[in-house]
Amino acid sequence: MPAEFRIVRTPGALTTAMEAWKRSGYRVALVPTMGALHAGHLALVAEGLKHADKVAASIFVNPKQFGPLEDLDKYPRDEAGDAAKLQAAGCELLYAPSLADMYPPGFASYVKVAGLPDRLCGAVRPGHFDGVATVVSKLLAASRADVGVFGEKDWQQLAIIRRMAADLDLGTRIIGAGIVRDDDGLALSSRNMYLSVGERAQALALPKALAAAREALNGGAAVAPVLAAAHLALAQAGFNRVDYVELVDGETLMPLDAVAVGARLMAAGVVGTTRLIDNAAV
Ligand code: AMP
C-alpha cells in the first residue's frame, strides 16, 4: 500500500499536487469516476499504474450528464469506502470536488463533440455526452495528466473522449481498459446495485445475447438476423426496453452491415427501471 494518500477538493489543489509529481519526474495518470467504486474502477487504477508512476482518481457525480428523469439524486455515494478501495489499489490521490468547486456561479462553458454522441446511448440520453465531454475536459485540464484511463464498458464515451482529447490538443493520452465482469458475465456497474434479485437474473441476458451474437458473427452469419435475434432475446428475457443492438465501427460508431476490423457489438436496454449497457469486440 502506498505510504501516501491524499484527498484534494479544488481544481487548483489538484493541479498543484499533479504538477509537484511531474516536477519530480513522475508520469501521472488520472482515473475519472462517479464513485460507488467496484472492481471495474479499480482495474482502471491498475491499468494507470502500467502507464504512469502515480495514479490519481476523481470522484464527482456530474449533474450535467444526467437527464431530468435520471437517477442523479439516488446515485450511490460512499466517499470513505471509495477512498479506502483506491488506496488499497495503489492510487495516491483522490480528487473529490464539491459541486460549487466544479461549477461555480457563472459557469457557462461547454464542450460538445459533434457526430459521435448522436447515435446509440446519445440518441436516448440527449445532452448526456456533452455533460461527459465538459466534465472530462475540466478534469484533464486541471490534472494535467499524462494519461487518462477510461473503461471500455462505456465504449461510446471512450470514443468521444478520445476524439475530444485529440481535437482539443489536451496532451493527455487516453487509454481504454477492458470490461470487468462478475463471474456470471454481467459487466460490473455502479447501477447494478439497483437491480432486484429477479432483475439481476434478467440482466444476464445482455452479456449472453452479445456473446451469442459475437459467436454467430465470427462464424460468418449475416449481421441483420443476428442483431434481430439478440434484440428478441433481450425482450424475451424481460427487458422493458431495448434501446439498441448494433454492430458498429469501434471508432466512428457508424453501423456496419458486415464484420470488419475494429467492429464492435453494442447493446443497451432497461431492466426494471435500470438502464444497462454492454459491448463486445467481434
Ligand atoms: P462511472 O463511475 O460509472 O462513471 O465509471 C467510471 C469509469 O469506470 C469509466 O471510465 C467507466 O467506463 C469505467 N468502468 C465502469 N464499469 C466498468 C467495468 N465493469 N469495467 C471496466 N471499466 C468500467
Side-chain angles (χ1 to χ4, degrees):
M1 194 177 286
E4 202 193 352
F5 182 81
R6 267 187 309 150
I7 302 181
V8 292
R9 300 199 183 271
T10 64
L14 176 66
T15 306
T16 302
M18 297 290 265
E19 287 289 356
W21 274 339
K22 292 174 80 165
R23 270 198 310 279
S24 302
Y26 295 124
R27 279 178 63 75
V28 297
L30 181 73
V31 175
T33 81
M34 296 203 301
L37 302 183
H38 51 64
H41 297 113
L42 302 178
L44 304 185
V45 173
E47 187 65 28
L49 286 168
K50 289 187 203 162
H51 303 275
D53 307 296
K54 300 284 184 186
V55 173
S58 63
I59 296 179
F60 180 65
V61 182
N62 176 32
K64 295 195 187 298
Q65 69 190 70
F66 285 76
L69 301 176
E70 292 184 349
D71 56 341
L72 174 63
D73 292 336
K74 69 165 182 170
Y75 199 84
R77 289 167 170 87
D78 173 20
E79 187 185 293
D82 288 344
K85 289 177 192 169
L86 288 169
Q87 183 172 12
C91 169
E92 292 181 61
L93 183 69
L94 169 59
Y95 176 46
S98 70
L99 196 54
D101 278 317
M102 201 57 140
Y103 301 120
F107 182 90
S109 302
Y110 290 82
V111 175
K112 183 176 177 63
V113 176
L116 290 174
D118 294 347
R119 306 184 58 259
L120 304 168
C121 287
V124 192
R125 305 182 71 189
H128 167 68
F129 288 116
D130 299 342
V132 170
T134 299
V135 80
V136 171
S137 63
K138 282 171 64 66
L139 292 168
L140 296 181
S143 69
R144 271 78 151 162
D146 297 301
V147 172
V149 191
F150 296 84
E152 291 184 351
K153 187 192 156 246
D154 299 271
W155 187 271
Q156 185 173 14
Q157 168 174 288
L158 177 60
I160 289 167
I161 290 168
R162 281 191 200 286
R163 181 80 262 157
M164 177 191 79
D167 289 352
L168 300 184
D169 306 317
L170 293 183
T172 302
R173 195 172 140 226
I174 305 300
I175 307 263
I179 302 176
V180 178
R181 299 175 180 279
D182 261 335
D183 290 342
D184 59 9
L186 186 67
L188 296 184
S189 164
S190 306
R191 290 190 166 101
N192 290 354
M193 60 178 78
Y194 300 151
L195 299 171
S196 69
V197 173
E199 290 167 352
R200 175 75 180 61
Q202 292 175 322
L204 266 189
L206 183 56
K208 282 188 180 157
L210 285 180
R214 168 199 190 131
E215 197 174 270
L217 292 174
N218 284 339
V223 172
V226 166
L227 298 180
H231 202 286
L232 185 65
L234 295 176
Q236 285 176 341
F239 272 63
N240 287 331
R241 207 175 82 205
V242 180
D243 287 338
Y244 57 81
V245 181
E246 287 200 32
L247 183 73
V248 303
D249 177 274
E251 199 180 316
T252 66
L253 307 180
M254 292 311 283
L256 295 174
D257 52 19
V259 174
V261 175
R264 204 88 193 170
L265 264 170
M266 311 274 287
V270 176
V271 176
T273 55
T274 306
R275 190 166 180 279
L276 301 173
I277 60 173
D278 202 347
N279 67 87
V282 179

